[in-house]
Amino acid sequence: MKLKTSIQIIIKLSIIMALLWYLPTYTLSSAKVFKAIEVPKPAQPVQKLISQKKIHIYNTHQGEKYQGYSVIDGAKHLSNLLNKMGYSCDVENNDFENYKAVHKIAYDRSYLVSKLYLENAIQSHGHYDLVIDFHRDSIPKNYSTLTLNNHAYAKILFVVGKSSGKFEAVQALSQQLSNRANHYANGISKGIMVKQNHYNQGICDHTVLIEFGAQDNTKEEVQAKIEIVAQAIRDYLQ
């Protein structure tokens, strides 16, 4: 009886071992385990544009300099700030001074050259929501500099041409930007100067001529002022 029972046990064990031998084998690596419980990474934030509004900056007098800086450098700095804010801003890169030299055009006829290139820019890029002619003044530093909270800023001045055909519109726009700049740094804008020239201000809507500081202002003073103007422009275009 005992022998019969032992034989039955042996047979059952043999059957179980045979079944285990022919079952498919699976390997579960630690990498697969960790992958299954991996926490999803948060999506990268998408930088949204403020708008698709376009801005064009040029320098009628490209040769104007500061102390170790230039109006061309200033125009590029302003453009970079506005692009970072989400606007589409471009700067005129053609060499006006070379064009005047080749064609023997006098300095006092500079606006004829900048007018030509401004019209080309508008034809190539279409409508601009703001056009800025970036200049610097020629006055002593004590008249071109504002010290506020121990920070020095180059002052700005808006120049409006009375013979442009769009005098009232340009004056209103200049006043808006002047007010906004003073809101951020009281006294940074000296306001508006009206002259008889046209200053290319009749070519398109929303155009301004801004004197950014003067010849004795430093790079730091000019850039500090440009940052204020960029904020004023953002307020205007919103």
Side-chain angles (χ1 to χ4, degrees):
M1 189 69 167
K2 290 183 178 179
L3 179 61
K4 184 178 179 181
T5 301
S6 298
I7 293 171
Q8 289 176 342
I9 292 172
I10 292 172
I11 292 171
K12 288 180 179 179
L13 288 174
S14 299
I15 293 171
I16 291 171
M17 290 181 66
L19 289 171
L20 290 173
W21 177 264
Y22 286 104
L23 284 174
T25 58
Y26 295 93
T27 301
L28 189 62
S29 68
S30 60
K32 289 183 180 180
V33 172
F34 285 113
K35 186 175 182 181
I37 62 174
E38 184 179 0
V39 178
K41 295 181 180 179
Q44 293 296 320
V46 177
Q47 185 177 4
K48 294 182 180 179
L49 293 176
I50 292 177
S51 72
Q52 294 297 326
K53 292 184 178 178
K54 297 191 299 182
I55 305 166
H56 178 67
I57 306 174
Y58 70 103
N59 309 97
T60 291
H61 297 144
Q62 292 177 336
E64 291 177 332
K65 305 289 185 183
Y66 301 102
Q67 295 299 310
Y69 206 55
S70 73
V71 293
I72 294 177
D73 296 327
K76 291 178 180 178
H77 184 64
L78 177 57
S79 176
N80 289 336
L81 291 177
L82 293 170
N83 280 320
K84 287 178 181 178
M85 288 180 176
Y87 299 108
S88 175
C89 185
D90 61 71
V91 180
E92 178 59 71
N93 291 314
N94 284 292
D95 191 336
F96 294 178
E97 301 305 312
N98 180 67
Y99 185 94
K100 286 188 288 186
V102 170
H103 296 277
K104 296 181 171 54
I105 298 174
Y107 181 83
D108 61 2
R109 310 287 282 175
S110 295
Y111 284 95
L112 294 178
V113 178
S114 60
K115 177 177 180 288
L116 170 66
Y117 283 103
L118 176 57
E119 288 174 336
N120 288 342
I122 293 171
Q123 184 176 2
S124 299
H125 298 93
H127 169 78
Y128 284 107
D129 297 281
L130 183 64
V131 174
I132 303 169
D133 191 0
F134 189 118
H135 288 255
R136 69 127 172 93
D137 212 340
S138 297
I139 54 176
K141 187 170 183 179
N142 58 314
Y143 291 109
S144 69
T145 310
L146 170 70
T147 301
L148 189 65
N149 298 325
N150 297 320
H151 287 87
Y153 302 86
K155 291 184 178 181
I156 56 175
L157 174 69
F158 292 84
V159 181
V160 179
K162 202 165 187 178
S163 62
S164 70
K166 296 187 178 181
F167 169 71
E168 292 182 357
V170 176
Q171 185 180 41
L173 168 56
S174 299
Q175 191 64 61
Q176 286 187 58
L177 293 176
S178 176
N179 292 343
R180 293 310 305 172
N182 280 331
H183 170 77
Y184 288 109
N186 188 32
I188 198 170
S189 175
K190 297 186 291 181
I192 297 172
M193 177 181 288
V194 178
K195 292 188 175 182
Q196 287 298 325
N197 207 332
H198 59 84
Y199 301 115
N200 299 337
Q201 292 171 356
I203 296 176
C204 59
D205 295 330
H206 317 297
T207 179
V208 289
L209 188 161
I210 311 177
E211 303 271 9
F212 289 79
Q215 72 279 0
D216 292 325
N217 285 115
T218 65
K219 172 184 177 180
E220 292 73 21
E221 293 165 348
V222 174
Q223 289 191 342
K225 174 262 314 293
I226 288 172
E227 291 175 6
I228 298 295
V229 172
Q231 294 180 66
I233 291 171
R234 179 193 57 197
D235 290 348
Y236 166 72
L237 288 177
Q238 280 182 344

mmCIF file of all heavy atoms in Angstrom, residues 9-35:
data_model
loop_
_atom_site.group_PDB
_atom_site.id
_atom_site.type_symbol
_atom_site.label_atom_id
_atom_site.label_comp_id
_atom_site.label_asym_id
_atom_site.label_seq_id
_atom_site.Cartn_x
_atom_site.Cartn_y
_atom_site.Cartn_z
ATOM 1 N N ILE A 9 2.747 9.398 -5.844
ATOM 2 C CA ILE A 9 3.367 10.705 -5.555
ATOM 3 C C ILE A 9 4.447 11.029 -6.572
ATOM 4 O O ILE A 9 4.571 12.143 -7.075
ATOM 5 C CB ILE A 9 3.934 10.707 -4.121
ATOM 6 C CG1 ILE A 9 2.770 10.652 -3.104
ATOM 7 C CG2 ILE A 9 4.791 11.952 -3.870
ATOM 8 C CD1 ILE A 9 3.216 10.449 -1.668
ATOM 9 N N ILE A 10 5.261 9.994 -6.878
ATOM 10 C CA ILE A 10 6.366 10.192 -7.838
ATOM 11 C C ILE A 10 5.813 10.565 -9.206
ATOM 12 O O ILE A 10 6.326 11.435 -9.907
ATOM 13 C CB ILE A 10 7.232 8.917 -7.906
ATOM 14 C CG1 ILE A 10 7.973 8.737 -6.578
ATOM 15 C CG2 ILE A 10 8.208 9.004 -9.074
ATOM 16 C CD1 ILE A 10 8.702 7.409 -6.460
ATOM 17 N N ILE A 11 4.716 9.886 -9.620
ATOM 18 C CA ILE A 11 4.109 10.148 -10.933
ATOM 19 C C ILE A 11 3.590 11.577 -11.000
ATOM 20 O O ILE A 11 3.778 12.300 -11.975
ATOM 21 C CB ILE A 11 2.986 9.137 -11.216
ATOM 22 C CG1 ILE A 11 3.557 7.730 -11.407
ATOM 23 C CG2 ILE A 11 2.168 9.558 -12.430
ATOM 24 C CD1 ILE A 11 2.516 6.622 -11.483
ATOM 25 N N LYS A 12 2.894 12.019 -9.902
ATOM 26 C CA LYS A 12 2.358 13.392 -9.876
ATOM 27 C C LYS A 12 3.473 14.429 -9.956
ATOM 28 O O LYS A 12 3.380 15.434 -10.660
ATOM 29 C CB LYS A 12 1.537 13.594 -8.601
ATOM 30 C CG LYS A 12 0.197 12.840 -8.602
ATOM 31 C CD LYS A 12 -0.558 13.094 -7.316
ATOM 32 C CE LYS A 12 -1.903 12.351 -7.349
ATOM 33 N NZ LYS A 12 -2.665 12.570 -6.090
ATOM 34 N N LEU A 13 4.554 14.189 -9.199
ATOM 35 C CA LEU A 13 5.693 15.125 -9.230
ATOM 36 C C LEU A 13 6.306 15.191 -10.622
ATOM 37 O O LEU A 13 6.725 16.249 -11.101
ATOM 38 C CB LEU A 13 6.735 14.702 -8.193
ATOM 39 C CG LEU A 13 6.359 14.931 -6.720
ATOM 40 C CD1 LEU A 13 7.414 14.321 -5.792
ATOM 41 C CD2 LEU A 13 6.222 16.432 -6.457
ATOM 42 N N SER A 14 6.378 14.038 -11.290
ATOM 43 C CA SER A 14 6.959 14.000 -12.640
ATOM 44 C C SER A 14 6.127 14.797 -13.620
ATOM 45 O O SER A 14 6.638 15.530 -14.475
ATOM 46 C CB SER A 14 7.074 12.529 -13.100
ATOM 47 O OG SER A 14 7.913 11.800 -12.237
ATOM 48 N N ILE A 15 4.786 14.644 -13.462
ATOM 49 C CA ILE A 15 3.883 15.386 -14.363
ATOM 50 C C ILE A 15 4.043 16.891 -14.150
ATOM 51 O O ILE A 15 4.114 17.686 -15.090
ATOM 52 C CB ILE A 15 2.425 14.945 -14.132
ATOM 53 C CG1 ILE A 15 2.233 13.497 -14.581
ATOM 54 C CG2 ILE A 15 1.457 15.862 -14.861
ATOM 55 C CD1 ILE A 15 0.890 12.890 -14.200
ATOM 56 N N ILE A 16 4.104 17.317 -12.864
ATOM 57 C CA ILE A 16 4.246 18.759 -12.543
ATOM 58 C C ILE A 16 5.548 19.313 -13.093
ATOM 59 O O ILE A 16 5.608 20.400 -13.681
ATOM 60 C CB ILE A 16 4.171 18.960 -11.017
ATOM 61 C CG1 ILE A 16 2.743 18.658 -10.526
ATOM 62 C CG2 ILE A 16 4.575 20.380 -10.636
ATOM 63 C CD1 ILE A 16 2.618 18.608 -9.015
ATOM 64 N N MET A 17 6.649 18.572 -12.941
ATOM 65 C CA MET A 17 7.964 19.022 -13.434
ATOM 66 C C MET A 17 7.963 19.136 -14.953
ATOM 67 O O MET A 17 8.550 20.038 -15.532
ATOM 68 C CB MET A 17 9.042 18.039 -12.958
ATOM 69 C CG MET A 17 9.295 18.114 -11.443
ATOM 70 S SD MET A 17 10.579 16.968 -10.891
ATOM 71 C CE MET A 17 12.009 17.681 -11.712
ATOM 72 N N ALA A 18 7.277 18.205 -15.609
ATOM 73 C CA ALA A 18 7.215 18.233 -17.076
ATOM 74 C C ALA A 18 6.466 19.458 -17.561
ATOM 75 O O ALA A 18 6.845 20.120 -18.541
ATOM 76 C CB ALA A 18 6.553 16.950 -17.581
ATOM 77 N N LEU A 19 5.354 19.759 -16.865
ATOM 78 C CA LEU A 19 4.575 20.944 -17.245
ATOM 79 C C LEU A 19 5.380 22.225 -17.061
ATOM 80 O O LEU A 19 5.364 23.126 -17.903
ATOM 81 C CB LEU A 19 3.284 21.000 -16.402
ATOM 82 C CG LEU A 19 2.228 19.943 -16.730
ATOM 83 C CD1 LEU A 19 1.102 19.963 -15.697
ATOM 84 C CD2 LEU A 19 1.676 20.167 -18.142
ATOM 85 N N LEU A 20 6.090 22.305 -15.948
ATOM 86 C CA LEU A 20 6.931 23.490 -15.690
ATOM 87 C C LEU A 20 8.044 23.623 -16.716
ATOM 88 O O LEU A 20 8.434 24.723 -17.119
ATOM 89 C CB LEU A 20 7.525 23.399 -14.276
ATOM 90 C CG LEU A 20 6.530 23.573 -13.117
ATOM 91 C CD1 LEU A 20 7.219 23.296 -11.773
ATOM 92 C CD2 LEU A 20 5.938 24.977 -13.139
ATOM 93 N N TRP A 21 8.577 22.522 -17.152
ATOM 94 C CA TRP A 21 9.692 22.531 -18.115
ATOM 95 C C TRP A 21 9.260 23.123 -19.451
ATOM 96 O O TRP A 21 10.008 23.862 -20.092
ATOM 97 C CB TRP A 21 10.200 21.109 -18.285
ATOM 98 C CG TRP A 21 11.305 21.003 -19.322
ATOM 99 C CD1 TRP A 21 11.197 20.659 -20.624
ATOM 100 C CD2 TRP A 21 12.671 21.267 -19.098
ATOM 101 N NE1 TRP A 21 12.395 20.708 -21.252
ATOM 102 C CE2 TRP A 21 13.354 21.073 -20.331
ATOM 103 C CE3 TRP A 21 13.421 21.636 -17.964
ATOM 104 C CZ2 TRP A 21 14.718 21.249 -20.452
ATOM 105 C CZ3 TRP A 21 14.786 21.806 -18.114
ATOM 106 C CH2 TRP A 21 15.417 21.611 -19.339
ATOM 107 N N TYR A 22 8.017 22.831 -19.891
ATOM 108 C CA TYR A 22 7.570 23.261 -21.213
ATOM 109 C C TYR A 22 6.833 24.592 -21.203
ATOM 110 O O TYR A 22 6.414 25.085 -22.239
ATOM 111 C CB TYR A 22 6.679 22.182 -21.841
ATOM 112 C CG TYR A 22 7.480 20.990 -22.303
ATOM 113 C CD1 TYR A 22 7.465 19.825 -21.548
ATOM 114 C CD2 TYR A 22 8.239 21.046 -23.465
ATOM 115 C CE1 TYR A 22 8.208 18.739 -21.944
ATOM 116 C CE2 TYR A 22 8.982 19.952 -23.868
ATOM 117 C CZ TYR A 22 8.963 18.798 -23.110
ATOM 118 O OH TYR A 22 9.687 17.714 -23.513
ATOM 119 N N LEU A 23 6.586 25.184 -20.016
ATOM 120 C CA LEU A 23 5.960 26.506 -19.990
ATOM 121 C C LEU A 23 6.921 27.557 -20.540
ATOM 122 O O LEU A 23 8.134 27.478 -20.310
ATOM 123 C CB LEU A 23 5.571 26.885 -18.542
ATOM 124 C CG LEU A 23 4.327 26.211 -17.974
ATOM 125 C CD1 LEU A 23 4.180 26.585 -16.494
ATOM 126 C CD2 LEU A 23 3.085 26.656 -18.764
ATOM 127 N N PRO A 24 6.434 28.608 -21.281
ATOM 128 C CA PRO A 24 7.328 29.662 -21.791
ATOM 129 C C PRO A 24 7.890 30.487 -20.643
ATOM 130 O O PRO A 24 7.242 30.707 -19.627
ATOM 131 C CB PRO A 24 6.394 30.542 -22.667
ATOM 132 C CG PRO A 24 5.034 30.277 -22.143
ATOM 133 C CD PRO A 24 5.029 28.864 -21.661
ATOM 134 N N THR A 25 9.128 30.926 -20.788
ATOM 135 C CA THR A 25 9.800 31.708 -19.747
ATOM 136 C C THR A 25 9.756 33.171 -20.106
ATOM 137 O O THR A 25 9.819 33.555 -21.265
ATOM 138 C CB THR A 25 11.261 31.257 -19.599
ATOM 139 O OG1 THR A 25 11.914 31.417 -20.843
ATOM 140 C CG2 THR A 25 11.344 29.808 -19.143
ATOM 141 N N TYR A 26 9.649 34.064 -19.095
ATOM 142 C CA TYR A 26 9.608 35.503 -19.283
ATOM 143 C C TYR A 26 10.664 36.154 -18.393
ATOM 144 O O TYR A 26 10.851 35.763 -17.238
ATOM 145 C CB TYR A 26 8.232 36.059 -18.907
ATOM 146 C CG TYR A 26 7.130 35.565 -19.805
ATOM 147 C CD1 TYR A 26 6.394 34.429 -19.460
ATOM 148 C CD2 TYR A 26 6.832 36.228 -20.988
ATOM 149 C CE1 TYR A 26 5.391 33.964 -20.282
ATOM 150 C CE2 TYR A 26 5.808 35.764 -21.816
ATOM 151 C CZ TYR A 26 5.096 34.644 -21.460
ATOM 152 O OH TYR A 26 4.098 34.176 -22.274
ATOM 153 N N THR A 27 11.335 37.137 -18.937
ATOM 154 C CA THR A 27 12.336 37.878 -18.172
ATOM 155 C C THR A 27 11.802 39.279 -17.918
ATOM 156 O O THR A 27 11.508 40.017 -18.851
ATOM 157 C CB THR A 27 13.671 37.987 -18.956
ATOM 158 O OG1 THR A 27 14.122 36.680 -19.228
ATOM 159 C CG2 THR A 27 14.694 38.749 -18.148
ATOM 160 N N LEU A 28 11.697 39.680 -16.682
ATOM 161 C CA LEU A 28 11.189 41.006 -16.298
ATOM 162 C C LEU A 28 12.349 41.802 -15.722
ATOM 163 O O LEU A 28 12.747 41.588 -14.584
ATOM 164 C CB LEU A 28 10.075 40.859 -15.263
ATOM 165 C CG LEU A 28 9.296 42.130 -14.923
ATOM 166 C CD1 LEU A 28 8.587 42.653 -16.159
ATOM 167 C CD2 LEU A 28 8.295 41.853 -13.817
ATOM 168 N N SER A 29 12.906 42.645 -16.548
ATOM 169 C CA SER A 29 14.086 43.402 -16.107
ATOM 170 C C SER A 29 13.674 44.544 -15.209
ATOM 171 O O SER A 29 12.561 45.039 -15.260
ATOM 172 C CB SER A 29 14.850 43.949 -17.317
ATOM 173 O OG SER A 29 14.103 44.928 -17.961
ATOM 174 N N SER A 30 14.644 45.040 -14.415
ATOM 175 C CA SER A 30 14.378 46.170 -13.529
ATOM 176 C C SER A 30 14.092 47.422 -14.333
ATOM 177 O O SER A 30 13.320 48.281 -13.922
ATOM 178 C CB SER A 30 15.582 46.405 -12.611
ATOM 179 O OG SER A 30 16.751 46.683 -13.361
ATOM 180 N N ALA A 31 14.684 47.531 -15.527
ATOM 181 C CA ALA A 31 14.453 48.708 -16.378
ATOM 182 C C ALA A 31 13.000 48.799 -16.780
ATOM 183 O O ALA A 31 12.405 49.873 -16.799
ATOM 184 C CB ALA A 31 15.346 48.641 -17.626
ATOM 185 N N LYS A 32 12.392 47.609 -17.124
ATOM 186 C CA LYS A 32 10.998 47.615 -17.536
ATOM 187 C C LYS A 32 10.086 47.948 -16.355
ATOM 188 O O LYS A 32 9.083 48.627 -16.504
ATOM 189 C CB LYS A 32 10.619 46.271 -18.137
ATOM 190 C CG LYS A 32 11.243 46.023 -19.490
ATOM 191 C CD LYS A 32 10.773 44.715 -20.077
ATOM 192 C CE LYS A 32 11.390 44.468 -21.445
ATOM 193 N NZ LYS A 32 10.957 43.207 -22.021
ATOM 194 N N VAL A 33 10.464 47.516 -15.187
ATOM 195 C CA VAL A 33 9.656 47.809 -14.012
ATOM 196 C C VAL A 33 9.630 49.305 -13.746
ATOM 197 O O VAL A 33 8.594 49.915 -13.556
ATOM 198 C CB VAL A 33 10.198 47.051 -12.785
ATOM 199 C CG1 VAL A 33 9.453 47.518 -11.528
ATOM 200 C CG2 VAL A 33 10.049 45.559 -12.961
ATOM 201 N N PHE A 34 10.825 49.933 -13.751
ATOM 202 C CA PHE A 34 10.903 51.365 -13.489
ATOM 203 C C PHE A 34 10.249 52.180 -14.586
ATOM 204 O O PHE A 34 9.660 53.230 -14.330
ATOM 205 C CB PHE A 34 12.368 51.788 -13.317
ATOM 206 C CG PHE A 34 12.941 51.384 -11.995
ATOM 207 C CD1 PHE A 34 13.942 50.431 -11.927
ATOM 208 C CD2 PHE A 34 12.453 51.916 -10.813
ATOM 209 C CE1 PHE A 34 14.473 50.045 -10.706
ATOM 210 C CE2 PHE A 34 12.974 51.552 -9.598
ATOM 211 C CZ PHE A 34 13.987 50.595 -9.537
ATOM 212 N N LYS A 35 10.342 51.704 -15.817
ATOM 213 C CA LYS A 35 9.715 52.423 -16.919
ATOM 214 C C LYS A 35 8.199 52.438 -16.768
ATOM 215 O O LYS A 35 7.518 53.408 -17.083
ATOM 216 C CB LYS A 35 10.106 51.791 -18.252
ATOM 217 C CG LYS A 35 9.601 52.568 -19.448
ATOM 218 C CD LYS A 35 10.117 51.973 -20.734
ATOM 219 C CE LYS A 35 9.652 52.777 -21.922
ATOM 220 N NZ LYS A 35 10.118 52.205 -23.199
#
